[in-house]
Amino acid sequence: MASILASELITNPDGSVFHLHLLPEELGDKVILVGDPGRVDMVAAHFDRVETRKSNREFHSVTGSYGGQRMTVLSTGIGPDNIDIVMNELDALANIDWATKEVKEERRALDIVRIGTSGSVQAEVGVGRYVVSEKHLGCDGVLRFYGGHERVCDTKLEDAFIAHCGWTPLAARPYAVDADAELVRLLDDGGRTVCGITLTAVGFYAPQGRVLRLPLAMPGVNERIASFRHEGHRVVNYEMEGAAIAGLAALMGHRATTVCLIIANRATGEAMADYHAEMEGMVRYVLKRLSNREKTGNK
C-alpha cells in the first residue's frame, strides 16, 4: 500500500494534522462538532476530566471524558467548506497510520454529533424545540466532489425535492443522505425533540430564502420547501453544516447526525433573541444521551 504524499496529508512541525492541530492519540471516540469556537468551552465545562486543549484559527478543541466516555468537542466555524476540512482531518487521525502515512487495515468508526442553532420552516415547530436530523438535503455541493457519493445518496428524494421546489439547475444539485439511524434513536426522546429532514444551505441569506437588497433567484422557495413531502418525510429546518457531515461520515464509515436548537421560525417570523440558556440545556441533553451509548470501539 502506497504512503500518502506529504502534499496531500499536511502535518505541522509537531506532527499534528494541519488545520486541527490534533495528534491521533488526542482524538476521542465520540466527537461533538459546534460552529462557534466559544461554544467549545461551554460543552467542555461539563466534562468530568480534560486531557488536551488545542486552538488554530476557528478550530478549537478539547478532549476529555463525560460519563465514562472519551469525547472531543471541536469547533468548525460556519459553512460546509470548513466541514470538508474537519471531516477529512478527523478521519485521517482515526484511520491513517501516522508513522507510515498508510491507511490502516482496521478502521475506527467515530460517533459524530453536530450541535447547533437553526431556523424552522414548519410553523408548528417553534423556537426552543430540538430537531434531530434523520435525513439531510445538502445544497452546498461538497459531497459531489467525492467518488462513490451515489452509493450514500437517495436520488429519488433528490429528484422529488428538485421538481417540487423548482430548483434552479444553475445551483448545485441537492444531495440527500441519511443520518445514522442508531444515533437518531439515541438522541430522540419523542417529547421535546422532533425528527425530520434538515436542509443544509451554502449561505445564510439568499441560500436560505432571505431578502435584504438583492432579489432571490428562486422566489417563494421557502414556502415550497415547507410544503414538500416525500415518503412520509418533510423538511423541518435550515442550517449550514449537517449534510456535509452526514454525507462524508457515511462515505468514510463513521456515524453522524445533527441536533439543532430552533431559534427562529421562518414561517411565523418568531425568533429567540437570547438563546444561551436554551443552548446550555441542549448541550446537557446531548451529552447525557451520548454518554449512555455503549462504547463502540473500532470497526
Side-chain angles (χ1 to χ4, degrees):
M1 184 180 296
S3 296
I4 298 171
L5 296 175
S7 61
E8 310 304 288
L9 178 58
I10 302 172
T11 56
N12 299 306
D14 66 352
S16 62
V17 73
F18 188 56
H19 295 90
L20 304 186
H21 281 219
L22 286 169
L23 294 163
E25 61 268 24
E26 295 171 335
L27 178 63
D29 294 320
K30 303 182 189 306
V31 180
I32 297 172
L33 299 180
V34 296
D36 181 0
R39 202 167 286 155
V40 170
D41 285 338
M42 174 193 288
V43 176
H46 298 280
F47 284 2
D48 306 317
R49 178 175 57 88
V50 169
E51 298 174 21
T52 60
R53 295 180 183 270
K54 294 293 181 73
S55 182
N56 178 51
R57 301 187 183 187
E58 59 265 64
F59 307 112
H60 296 215
S61 66
V62 175
T63 295
S65 62
Y66 178 90
Q69 302 286 343
R70 193 162 182 259
M71 299 185 183
T72 296
V73 54
L74 168 68
S75 61
T76 65
I78 297 174
D81 49 346
N82 278 6
I83 296 304
D84 180 67
I85 292 170
V86 167
M87 290 297 294
N88 274 282
E89 293 195 1
L90 287 175
D91 182 69
L93 290 166
N95 290 308
I96 292 175
D97 186 310
W98 230 235
T100 64
K101 296 301 189 290
E102 294 179 354
V103 176
K104 296 176 181 177
E105 290 187 8
E106 187 175 1
R107 305 297 166 82
R108 179 184 178 191
L110 304 171
D111 287 339
I112 302 170
V113 178
R114 160 168 149 67
I115 297 175
T117 56
S118 183
S120 170
V121 298
Q122 302 296 339
E124 70 276 15
V125 181
V127 298
R129 296 292 298 277
Y130 303 163
V131 177
V132 181
S133 307
E134 57 184 346
K135 292 179 179 290
H136 293 266
L137 270 166
C139 303
D140 52 272
V142 165
L143 200 65
R144 302 294 187 195
F145 287 89
Y146 290 88
H149 63 80
E150 64 280 351
R151 65 182 170 83
V152 301
C153 289
D154 184 342
T155 55
K156 290 183 179 179
L157 175 55
E158 294 168 5
D159 289 341
F161 178 80
I162 290 166
H164 179 86
C165 295
W167 201 260
T168 174
L170 298 177
R173 175 185 167 89
Y175 59 89
V177 292
D178 288 341
D180 180 77
E182 188 176 347
L183 278 180
V184 171
R185 285 193 295 271
L186 183 74
L187 293 165
D188 176 28
D189 71 356
R192 189 166 190 178
T193 59
V194 58
C195 292
I197 301 172
T198 293
L199 194 150
T200 295
V202 73
F204 186 76
Y205 289 97
Q208 295 188 34
R210 289 185 171 93
V211 177
L212 299 183
R213 289 204 313 117
L214 298 178
L216 300 178
M218 295 182 282
V221 68
N222 278 0
E223 289 77 10
R224 296 192 294 276
I225 288 171
S227 64
F228 173 68
R229 300 291 185 275
H230 181 75
E231 296 181 352
H233 298 286
R234 62 176 180 167
V235 177
V236 177
N237 62 320
Y238 264 123
E239 51 81 76
M240 293 178 62
E241 292 86 25
I245 294 168
L248 288 171
L251 285 178
M252 294 169 172
H254 304 297
R255 299 173 285 269
T257 190
T258 293
V259 184
C260 281
L261 170 68
I262 297 299
I263 64 169
N265 189 297
R266 304 298 303 283
T268 65
E270 181 187 12
M272 183 188 298
D274 185 0
Y275 56 84
H276 298 289
E278 298 288 340
M279 179 57 73
E280 279 273 11
M282 194 175 80
V283 166
R284 290 192 296 270
Y285 172 85
V286 171
L287 284 172
K288 184 176 181 180
R289 290 260 166 174
L290 196 57
S291 69
N292 287 337
R293 178 181 172 88
E294 291 184 1
K295 192 171 183 179
T296 55
N298 295 349
K299 287 191 177 182

